[in-house]
Amino acid sequence: MTLLLSDKECSEGSLTPLTQALESEDLKMGSQKNNNNSQDPIACEEGPGVCSMALTIFSLFLITVTLPMSLFFVVKVVQEYERAVIFRLGRLLTGGARGPGVFFVIPCVDVYEKIDMRSQTFEIPPQEILTKDSVTVFVNAIMYYKVANAIHAVANVDDYGGSARLLAATTLRNVLGTLTLGDILCQRESIAKEMKETLDEGTEPWGVMVERVEVKDVRVPEQLQRAMAAEAEA
């Protein structure tokens, strides 16, 4: 005898177990893919190779054999205002920058670079700027900056100081080019604040922190100065 089931009974009865089975299988496959994706970065990480380990062990052996003379090449000192970033066979050592004080390196294997963490001053040369109201002015400013992250300053940029200085000159031109002459003369504090925020955003990946920016001098052409003086006298 053949039993005929309605559409509702088929959807609620015979198809429900099949649908549940397919959904559970999809969930299992999705979880497996997620696990594989989460494990991929760990599997792709490369540790020190056999040659690197062999060179390091050989260097340590030479240091031990040549003691105490090897201490002159192993022991290094950085000042309170300095940090040392160490690379071992081209790889950045974990643990961050070393210092201040005494730290140790392995000759022929380690290379280190000292970074000055003190605040530095840069006077932006006078920039010829065309203001919003078509007036040509010469403006210079002073930027105070320092290295906040020594590792980023070494690994992320070739010359952090030169890059920050070039960016400061460009930022000065870009900010003042959107203002009128009256705004430049009256809104120096707001201009300095806007420049600092823009420079902070640009120099953060380089490990540089801009502490302060000051607009030093604004020079207008002599003809314009005469016109302004005549207008003031009138």
Side-chain angles (χ1 to χ4, degrees), residues 93-129:
L93 284 187
T94 58
R98 270 57 172 181
V102 179
F103 66 98
F104 302 93
V105 297
I106 302 177
C108 303
V109 176
D110 291 347
V111 177
Y112 71 95
E113 184 173 348
K114 290 183 181 180
I115 299 296
D116 195 331
M117 306 294 290
R118 292 177 293 184
S119 297
Q120 302 181 39
T121 305
F122 172 64
E123 183 175 354
I124 304 174
Q127 303 292 313
E128 184 178 0
I129 301 171

Side-chain angles (χ1 to χ4, degrees), residues 115-166:
I115 299 296
D116 195 331
M117 306 294 290
R118 292 177 293 184
S119 297
Q120 302 181 39
T121 305
F122 172 64
E123 183 175 354
I124 304 174
Q127 303 292 313
E128 184 178 0
I129 301 171
L130 183 64
T131 62
K132 189 176 181 181
D133 51 354
S134 300
V135 177
T136 302
V137 294
F138 293 87
V139 183
N140 64 336
I142 300 176
M143 178 181 68
Y144 301 89
Y145 68 98
K146 69 176 182 178
V147 176
N149 191 316
I151 293 179
H152 289 175
V154 174
N156 291 353
V157 64
D158 180 26
D159 181 9
Y160 66 89
S163 300
R165 293 165 187 167
L166 290 175

Side-chain angles (χ1 to χ4, degrees), residues 33-55:
K33 289 181 180 179
N34 292 333
N35 292 334
N36 292 334
N37 293 333
S38 61
Q39 293 175 358
D40 285 342
I42 300 176
C44 293
E45 288 183 357
E46 296 181 0
V50 178
C51 294
S52 300
M53 295 296 296
L55 288 174

